[in-house]
Amino acid sequence: MGVIGLDKIKTLQQNPANIRNLCILAHVDHGKTTLADCLVANNGIISSRLAGKLRYLDSREDEQVRGITMKSSAISLHYSTGNQEYLLNLIDSPGHVDFSSEVSTAVRLCDGAIVVVDAVEGVCPQTQVVLRQAWLENIRPVLVINKMDRLIMELKLTALEAHTHLQKILEQVNAVTGTLFTSKVLEERAEKLKEEVNRDEDPSGDQVYDWSAGLEDADDSHLYFSPDQGNVVFASAIDGWGFSIQHFAHIYSQRMGIRTEVLLKTLWGDFYLNTKIQRIMKGAQTKGKKPLFVQLVLDNIWSLYDAVVIRRDKQKVEKVMTSLGIKVMTRDLRHSDPKVLLFAICNQWLPVSKAVLSMVCEKLPSPLEMAAEKVEKLMSVGTRRFDSLPERTQELKTAFLQCSSGINAPVIIFVSKMFAVDTKTLPQKRQRPLNQEEIAQRREVARQRHAEKLAAENLERVTRSGSALGEATMTSLPLKPEEEEEQKEVFIAFARIYSGTVKKGQRVFVLGPKYDPAQGLSLLPEGCSASDCIPEVPHLSCCTVENLYLLMGRELEELEEIPAGNVMGIGGLEDCVLKTATLSASPACSPFTPLNFEAAPIVRVAVEPKHPSEMPKLVSGMRLLNQADPCAEVLIQETGEHVLVTAGEVHLQRCLDDLRERFAKIEISVSKPIIPFRETVVRPPKVDMVNEELGKQHKVAVIHQVKEELSKGPSSDYHHVDPDGLVTLTTPNRLATVCVRAIPLPQEVTVLLERNSELIRALELMNSSLREGRAMDINLRTLEAIAELKDHLQSLLQGRKWRNAVERIWAFGPRRYGPNILLNSIKDYSRLSVWQCLEWRHSNDQVRAPASPLRVFDNSIISGFQLATLSGPMCEEPLMGVCFSVERWDVESVAFSQNPDTLKEDSVSPEALRDVGSHGNSVDATDPERKMDASSVDCYGPVSGQLIAAMKEACRHAFQAQPQRLMAAMYTCEIMATAEVLGRVYGVLGKREGRVLHEEMKEGTDMFIITAVLPVAESFGFADEIRKRTSGLASPQLVFSHWEVISSDPYWVPTTEEEYLHFGEKADSVNQALKYMNAVRRRKGLFVEEKIVEHAEKQRTLSKNK
């Protein structure tokens, strides 16, 4: 384990005040792993010469090949400064957008973060993302501006220009932090105002409105990065140097006789040194003087690079080394690569590890300094507020804040991910060095074996018989080493202990994400523990901590116990924990809030084994992969396909490699990526495909064409389509009729519904609880959010056709929380509103709907709507942004004497039909027996089933009566490219249906930042192609952004004279929407309307026509 011993780390773990849990966050290729190498080398685990080349924390083979980090890796480091000794639990995280879920798992376990920014590229998209993740998890960041050598060697900036450039980078980083802070303050201000309004609603008193936003009073001085605050380090990790302002302040205070405090305030800023009077003055920029930072710091570094790397001036190098008091080995002085000599000098003069680690120890908080706000946020899951949790649960907040390792302190652990390791890497399997006693013992055993062998040989010589040989062989069999077990993957939990001391073999509770501590405490006996025989409690189980590990990068060290405040690995949880979990010795503990994943998994592929007999191995392998990757999802579709869902192309490749080589260990076949689409309707277009205005006559012709197409089917007797798009459909038994119209929702409403899907799901859960009469603890904050959503919808749905629409919402779909709406436009049919939980809040009595005969079949209409929105008519993809308005709904009564056979055939009881009618034959609400009988027969009978099918078909036909469009998933694409390859980047984007939103040039560099949108369907191979076309000078970052309507109509055919002239009779130019639609239909095995041979007549060549 290098220089530090395991016993030393065990001692340091006992003192949480000197523990720092931190992670390294940055954009891809900004130098996180190189910086981590320098910090690891400081502990003697690797050679300082290999720092940046070895990439010690990138232990996977594909990480080394690609040169990017793909997983979070932890290592414990020791650092001593003065008389203080610190234990640093460092986590290196990926910077690639595909692996941002790994960043979330790392950030949750930390109290602080090192944010690394490239000195040339500045703030990149992923830098903003990681800063936001750190902000959401309430962890304190410090800044390292890395790759400073690029300013000298690549951009050839002077020290003064570099100073200006560094100031701009700091402004960019602080701007991101400022935006996050402002949004938080404004949210708190809005909540405070709402509480004040609710508290004193007195219309008679004079109301004075406070126009201040609350930003004036809020203290944000500690949030921003500034070198004079000591939270910024300037570094070049590859060259081994880094410094903070404090380092140079101490050096120059001794040389110049100026107090350190004065230098700390003036080294960064608009100050200069007046050499005549030997005083520091303000206004360097206005007077055209060199700032102090340039004069005392940057000039020295620039001159060192000039002497060592650029000019290779040996005399000047020797002079510099003498003045700095540095001695360098002769082989470094004579080395052909000047960077070797530079590293040797800088590593002694300004060691980057010392600068970064001292900043971390001073500026980042210990586990004892955890904010109360962070604890409350961690324990408030979903719709529950911290103050609504049971009293015993709220008392655990003290245990978090004290971070006590005492006997009485409850054990609280959070597992952020499960990761797989080879059994050979476990400490139990590792060969350890032998002590003197063991060596002597083994020597004695070897002597005995040798004596037995000689005796056997002598016996064989004497007897010359086969039996003796058999005995000798038999005696030597047990001495052969046992065969090695088959290689197997073992799962280890990546976790942090927040309170108590966890011991090997200890029993703890595993709290699922839906576990309710109030329910758990009521069901469990007082004072019970995980080792007792406990009754069954929902979302609560028990497990044993089999092994405890200290995470040391590529190695693991076994421990017997680990106190509070440490990051660790736990073995033996693979059967109890899937991806994340909260472990506690107390059932009063609340499960932690789920991790914030920035990138949602969007890329799907179907996987199958090459040999069908290996299907069980594939199923087992995919289960292991699902557990090992925090972002990957494994699904089995209705078709029986095994589908793997990943965050991007690189992530997909890593998952498939893991499946082949580690988990399933079989050959697999992978389908082309399954691209998600959505189906929608739009308002009728006003212009045709050649931008000619559509006349009224043409519109009517199109409607008639649609009507003719719809009436071709065999069920035309049962449905009718009006010219304005109203579809009337009757069930096959002619007992029910529904009239449905499809209306496109405004784009803002669709976005709002999609963004609030979790809130709509909570709304549906509340409504179902109220309908069933179940008790449910409803959070007031959630009710306020639902009321805000309702008000927002009302403000967006304006106009005559949306009058009272929000109150008439029947359901959301698909799956009851999607971005489609079912609207109740039936005259004289009143039912419980979808917002009934808000009405329940204002009235203590149970909300009841007026009795209606149609109420029995209400769920059938909703079920039909859910089925219709789940798979649309174009290519069986979910609908999005469609409102279905039910304008008429009749359930008819039939004379039994006229048609008894039909009734018998349809199995509908006369009582049910008598009770359900549209014209006065309503259910008698005063007779509960008859009402119960009617509902029990009808809501599950054939009428109900046919009504579901009729509603589904009505919705599909109403959808087809409107102009249909496909919606494609879109990536936001950020590309950094130099000016000379800009044209090629545009060429690749244009070829793949991309659209450039804007481009800007980074000041002080020749780099352009291009922001574009690109369909997910066209993104596969995009990164490789753009790198090939630009010779690696451009690198894209793809993040899922939104859904966008494809403007072209997939069913379009030329109808006007202008369109015939422009497109020809066949209109055989590529229709992008039709291409996508047919591809999806072909993949799903649906009918695809396409002509294989369009013109079968003989083709003639030009030469024969002459």
Side-chain angles (χ1 to χ4, degrees):
M1 228 176 63
V3 175
I4 356 162
L6 190 58
D7 295 332
K8 182 73 176 173
I9 286 185
K10 285 180 186 175
T11 311
L12 291 169
Q13 284 183 337
Q14 303 295 331
N15 182 13
N18 283 9
I19 293 174
R20 300 289 183 269
N21 297 314
L22 66 143
C23 54
I24 304 181
L25 308 175
H27 186 82
V28 68
D29 285 336
H30 277 203
K32 295 180 300 301
T33 309
T34 306
L35 180 64
D37 269 8
C38 294
L39 304 184
V40 170
N42 184 62
N43 271 213
I45 296 170
I46 63 170
S47 165
S48 59
R49 291 173 180 275
L50 293 174
K53 302 175 186 72
L54 185 64
R55 300 207 306 277
Y56 181 72
L57 293 178
D58 287 354
S59 54
R60 292 172 57 99
E61 188 183 343
D62 48 2
E63 286 180 316
Q64 292 286 344
V65 170
R66 282 182 179 267
I68 60 170
T69 306
M70 295 185 181
K71 61 165 190 349
S72 298
S73 304
I75 191 165
S76 294
L77 303 175
H78 165 253
Y79 180 68
S80 55
T81 171
N83 56 355
Q84 292 286 331
E85 288 189 305
Y86 294 91
L87 176 67
L88 308 171
N89 295 315
L90 177 74
I91 306 174
D92 181 28
S93 63
H96 197 285
V97 67
D98 282 11
F99 305 106
S100 58
S101 58
E102 291 279 351
V103 179
S104 304
T105 63
V107 165
R108 170 57 62 88
L109 304 184
C110 296
D111 302 308
I114 300 172
V115 178
V116 183
V117 176
D118 190 318
V120 173
E121 294 180 6
V123 175
C124 291
Q126 204 61 17
T127 314
Q128 297 180 13
V129 168
V130 296
L131 280 167
R132 185 164 65 248
Q133 281 180 304
W135 177 268
L136 290 172
E137 292 289 350
N138 282 48
I139 68 171
R140 194 182 300 168
V142 290
L143 183 67
V144 173
I145 298 180
N146 193 24
K147 301 194 180 184
M148 289 274 290
D149 58 296
R150 291 184 68 191
L151 300 178
I152 308 168
M153 304 304 296
E154 289 181 27
L155 298 187
K156 305 278 194 291
L157 298 183
T158 62
L160 191 60
E161 289 168 342
H163 179 239
T164 312
H165 183 77
L166 293 170
Q167 282 179 318
K168 285 176 182 171
I169 288 174
L170 272 171
E171 284 170 14
Q172 290 170 6
V173 181
N174 287 331
V176 177
T177 310
T179 308
L180 294 166
F181 173 73
T182 306
S183 62
K184 182 191 173 186
V185 171
L186 292 176
E187 280 173 17
E188 288 174 354
R189 173 76 177 158
E191 281 184 20
K192 192 177 174 184
L193 279 172
K194 196 180 287 181
E195 285 173 10
E196 286 174 2
V197 168
N198 293 340
R199 192 164 53 244
D200 43 23
E201 290 182 343
D202 185 15
S204 58
D206 295 332
Q207 293 189 1
V208 180
Y209 187 78
D210 183 9
W211 289 97
S212 67
L215 290 168
E216 299 84 0
D217 305 327
D219 178 27
D220 59 348
S221 58
H222 63 285
L223 291 174
Y224 298 115
F225 300 107
S226 179
D228 52 9
Q229 284 191 11
N231 58 3
V232 179
V233 161
F234 303 94
S236 170
I238 198 73
D239 288 341
W241 62 266
F243 64 89
S244 60
I245 292 291
Q246 283 78 353
H247 179 78
F248 279 97
H250 288 303
I251 292 171
Y252 284 111
S253 65
Q254 294 168 2
R255 287 190 184 179
M256 299 165 65
I258 301 171
R259 283 186 298 124
T260 311
E261 295 78 20
V262 175
L263 279 169
L264 281 172
K265 288 180 182 177
T266 56
L267 258 175
W268 182 262
D270 193 26
F271 299 93
Y272 71 98
L273 182 66
N274 191 326
T275 49
K276 288 182 181 177
I277 56 173
Q278 287 293 311
R279 284 188 64 187
I280 294 170
M281 313 285 285
K282 200 172 184 180
Q285 194 173 355
T286 52
K287 294 174 184 175
K289 302 283 186 181
K290 269 189 184 180
L292 210 60
F293 185 71
V294 176
Q295 196 174 353
L296 300 183
V297 181
L298 293 185
D299 275 348
N300 292 323
I301 295 168
W302 256 245
S303 61
L304 179 66
Y305 268 83
D306 183 60
V308 178
V309 183
I310 299 169
R311 294 189 185 176
R312 301 196 186 187
D313 189 341
K314 287 186 179 180
Q315 290 181 349
K316 194 173 181 182
V317 169
E318 285 173 9
K319 192 178 176 182
V320 167
M321 285 163 56
T322 309
S323 64
L324 294 173
I326 291 169
K327 289 183 180 179
V328 178
M329 293 171 72
T330 316
R331 69 173 183 184
D332 291 338
L333 279 168
R334 293 175 180 172
H335 205 284
S336 58
D337 184 4
K339 284 274 187 170
V340 174
L341 176 60
L342 181 75
F343 184 86
I345 296 169
C346 293
N347 203 27
Q348 293 180 55
W349 177 38
L350 301 170
V352 64
S353 55
K354 187 181 176 183
V356 172
L357 294 175
S358 57
M359 172 176 71
V360 161
C361 296
E362 286 173 26
K363 295 296 172 184
L364 294 188
S366 71
L368 291 172
E369 296 169 54
M370 186 182 282
E373 183 189 356
K374 181 178 178 179
V375 176
E376 290 180 11
K377 200 173 173 183
L378 282 175
M379 297 179 77
S380 306
V381 182
T383 58
R384 287 178 292 202
R385 289 178 69 169
F386 181 76
D387 46 20
S388 69
L389 292 169
E391 193 175 337
R392 277 180 62 187
T393 306
Q394 291 186 41
E395 286 170 4
L396 291 175
K397 179 181 171 183
T398 316
F400 271 95
L401 297 174
Q402 288 177 348
C403 193
S404 170
S405 307
I407 302 167
N408 298 324
V411 173
I412 302 170
I413 301 167
F414 181 73
V415 175
S416 71
K417 71 167 182 173
M418 302 289 287
F419 64 97
V421 296
D422 192 347
T423 42
K424 290 178 182 176
T425 61
L426 294 176
Q428 301 93 315
K429 304 282 183 182
R430 199 187 308 150
Q431 287 186 347
R432 58 186 180 81
L434 303 174
N435 56 31
Q436 291 296 325
E437 289 178 11
E438 288 171 331
I439 290 168
Q441 195 176 356
R442 291 202 178 188
R443 191 184 293 121
E444 190 61 37
V445 170
R447 279 176 185 161
Q448 285 178 9
R449 283 185 183 176
H450 187 62
E452 285 173 12
K453 190 177 177 184
L454 286 173
E457 284 176 3
N458 291 333
L459 192 65
E460 186 184 359
R461 271 194 221 102
V462 172
T463 57
R464 301 286 181 186
S465 63
S467 58
L469 179 65
E471 284 173 23
T473 312
M474 289 295 288
T475 53
S476 64
L477 273 175
L479 304 176
K480 288 185 180 179
E482 294 179 8
E483 290 184 6
E484 291 182 7
E485 292 179 9
E486 189 184 347
Q487 191 177 350
K488 203 172 90 174
E489 296 287 339
V490 176
F491 279 93
I492 291 175
F494 191 42
R496 174 176 167 181
I497 177 164
Y498 287 87
S499 170
T501 302
V502 64
K503 297 179 181 178
K504 197 173 168 181
Q506 186 174 348
R507 293 274 293 172
V508 288
F509 291 111
V510 180
L511 315 176
K514 293 183 181 177
Y515 172 70
D516 184 4
Q519 185 186 21
L521 290 170
S522 63
L523 293 173
L524 291 169
E526 187 73 27
C528 79
S529 67
S531 53
D532 301 334
C533 184
I534 59 166
E536 194 171 323
V537 178
H539 310 291
L540 180 77
S541 60
C542 296
C543 73
T544 305
V545 176
E546 290 180 12
N547 293 295
L548 293 171
Y549 298 109
L550 177 69
L551 304 171
M552 291 299 296
R554 300 182 183 188
E555 295 178 4
L556 298 167
E557 295 290 342
E558 196 170 15
L559 298 174
E560 291 299 315
E561 62 176 42
I562 299 177
N566 287 286
V567 174
M568 60 186 174
I570 306 175
L573 299 184
E574 53 261 36
D575 297 330
C576 313
V577 177
L578 179 63
K579 295 193 182 205
T580 66
T582 309
L583 311 179
S584 177
S586 165
C589 184
S590 169
F592 283 23
T593 51
L595 298 172
N596 298 305
F597 288 148
E598 290 289 331
I602 188 93
V603 180
R604 296 171 173 236
V605 290
V607 183
E608 63 180 18
K610 281 269 178 76
H611 307 292
S613 61
E614 294 178 328
M615 180 57 88
K617 286 185 180 179
L618 177 71
V619 173
S620 170
M622 290 189 81
R623 183 178 56 78
L624 294 174
L625 175 67
N626 184 38
Q627 192 169 14
D629 196 299
C631 191
E633 291 177 11
V634 172
L635 313 168
I636 299 177
Q637 290 192 328
E638 294 169 1
T639 54
E641 285 179 308
H642 289 266
V643 174
L644 177 63
V645 194
T646 59
E649 211 174 343
V650 182
H651 186 211
L652 172 66
Q653 192 58 50
R654 192 197 79 170
C655 288
L656 293 175
D657 288 346
D658 279 353
L659 200 58
R660 285 190 189 99
E661 295 161 17
R662 295 181 68 188
F663 300 126
K665 293 182 184 172
I666 57 169
E667 289 184 26
I668 55 173
S669 300
V670 182
S671 71
K672 286 183 179 177
I674 301 168
I675 315 297
F677 287 96
R678 296 288 182 267
E679 300 178 24
T680 190
V681 293
V682 294
R683 296 177 68 182
K686 293 181 180 176
V687 292
D688 61 12
M689 291 291 284
V690 287
N691 290 333
E692 293 285 334
E693 191 174 350
L694 284 169
K696 192 175 181 183
Q697 188 177 1
H698 177 64
K699 285 182 187 176
V700 172
V702 170
I703 289 166
H704 279 298
Q705 183 185 346
V706 169
K707 193 176 170 185
E708 283 168 20
E709 286 174 4
L710 290 172
S711 61
K712 282 177 186 174
S715 60
S716 57
D717 296 342
Y718 294 100
H719 80 260
H720 171 73
V721 183
D722 285 351
D724 60 348
L726 181 68
V727 174
T728 306
L729 200 138
T730 309
T731 55
N733 58 11
R734 300 186 181 280
L735 295 182
T737 305
V738 285
C739 297
V740 181
R741 187 193 308 277
I743 309 164
L745 282 173
Q747 189 183 354
E748 298 83 8
V749 175
T750 309
V751 171
L752 179 70
L753 293 177
E754 195 181 17
R755 200 169 55 236
N756 290 284
S757 60
E758 288 299 321
L759 191 62
I760 296 168
R761 186 186 285 184
L763 169 70
E764 180 58 36
L765 282 171
M766 288 179 190
N767 288 341
S768 64
S769 299
L770 289 171
R771 282 197 298 270
E772 294 166 15
R774 283 189 283 114
M776 187 177 179
D777 182 23
I778 296 176
N779 185 354
L780 290 176
R781 187 183 287 180
T782 309
L783 287 174
E784 286 169 9
I786 291 169
E788 278 180 24
L789 174 65
K790 185 181 176 184
D791 295 342
H792 202 165
L793 275 172
Q794 281 173 334
S795 66
L796 292 173
L797 292 173
Q798 296 291 337
R800 186 173 55 83
K801 69 175 179 179
W802 297 113
R803 192 174 298 146
N804 267 346
V806 177
E807 292 295 339
R808 291 187 285 117
I809 291 176
W810 200 332
F812 298 95
R815 300 186 181 90
R816 295 184 178 266
Y817 58 87
N820 302 287
I821 291 175
L822 179 64
L823 215 57
N824 175 16
S825 302
I826 305 165
K827 198 175 180 183
D828 301 329
Y829 174 52
S830 55
R831 63 181 302 281
L832 281 176
S833 167
V834 79
W835 313 104
Q836 61 177 303
C837 61
L838 297 176
E839 296 165 20
W840 169 85
R841 178 190 175 188
H842 296 300
S843 61
N844 294 326
D845 302 330
Q846 192 175 355
V847 181
R848 294 185 181 277
S852 167
L854 300 175
R855 190 76 187 86
V856 178
F857 297 114
D858 192 276
N859 277 335
S860 300
I861 293 290
I862 294 173
S863 299
F865 163 73
Q866 299 296 343
L867 289 170
T869 51
L870 193 59
S871 56
M874 294 171 76
C875 52
E876 301 295 326
E877 290 286 301
L879 304 191
M880 189 173 191
V882 185
C883 172
F884 290 105
S885 174
V886 183
E887 303 201 350
R888 191 165 66 88
W889 175 24
D890 297 330
V891 180
E892 296 180 6
S893 168
V894 181
F896 313 114
S897 57
Q898 291 178 359
N899 200 356
D901 299 332
T902 312
L903 288 171
K904 190 174 180 184
E905 187 184 337
D906 287 342
S907 306
V908 182
S909 65
E911 289 83 2
L913 293 170
R914 200 179 303 121
D915 287 344
V916 182
S918 60
H919 303 292
N921 299 335
S922 60
V923 176
D924 186 3
T926 58
D927 189 349
E929 286 183 15
R930 285 181 64 195
K931 185 174 179 183
M932 187 177 172
D933 181 55
S935 64
S936 63
V937 172
D938 291 331
C939 70
Y940 300 113
V943 178
S944 169
Q946 290 193 11
L947 191 56
I948 291 172
M951 180 62 190
K952 178 188 171 185
E953 287 304 312
C955 288
R956 287 172 79 99
H957 288 307
F959 182 90
Q960 289 173 307
Q962 301 294 331
Q964 305 166 63
R965 295 290 184 274
L966 265 187
M967 293 183 83
M970 303 296 282
Y971 276 137
T972 299
C973 176
E974 296 262 357
I975 306 170
M976 293 191 72
T978 52
E980 57 263 26
V981 296
L982 210 56
R984 295 176 199 168
V985 171
Y986 274 74
V988 175
L989 280 169
K991 178 183 162 187
R992 291 176 174 264
E993 306 292 328
R995 190 174 73 253
V996 176
L997 300 179
H998 61 84
E999 67 165 51
E1000 58 178 343
M1001 191 175 186
K1002 260 198 175 303
E1003 288 184 47
T1005 69
D1006 61 344
M1007 302 291 285
F1008 282 85
I1009 299 175
I1010 303 154
T1011 307
V1013 286
L1014 183 77
V1016 173
E1018 302 289 341
S1019 68
F1020 300 99
F1022 172 71
D1024 287 340
E1025 186 180 356
I1026 217 161
R1027 272 195 286 268
K1028 282 174 189 170
R1029 292 286 300 276
T1030 61
S1031 305
L1033 293 173
S1035 53
Q1037 283 268 34
L1038 299 172
V1039 186
F1040 176 69
S1041 171
H1042 64 286
W1043 295 91
E1044 192 173 284
V1045 177
I1046 300 170
S1047 56
S1048 55
D1049 182 359
Y1051 298 109
W1052 176 80
V1053 288
T1055 48
T1056 63
E1057 193 176 339
E1058 289 82 4
E1059 285 178 347
Y1060 272 112
L1061 285 170
H1062 192 273
F1063 293 101
E1065 192 177 336
K1066 293 188 295 176
D1068 53 0
S1069 58
V1070 177
N1071 183 335
Q1072 200 66 26
L1074 181 64
K1075 186 180 89 174
Y1076 291 149
M1077 187 181 81
N1078 283 345
V1080 176
R1081 291 186 71 89
R1082 204 175 286 114
R1083 178 174 57 78
K1084 292 185 176 181
L1086 304 171
F1087 172 70
V1088 178
E1089 190 175 345
E1090 57 183 349
K1091 293 176 183 176
I1092 306 301
V1093 179
E1094 292 203 359
H1095 298 287
E1097 67 268 17
K1098 185 179 177 184
Q1099 300 293 315
R1100 294 185 178 183
T1101 59
L1102 288 172
S1103 58
K1104 286 194 176 182
N1105 282 337
K1106 285 179 183 177

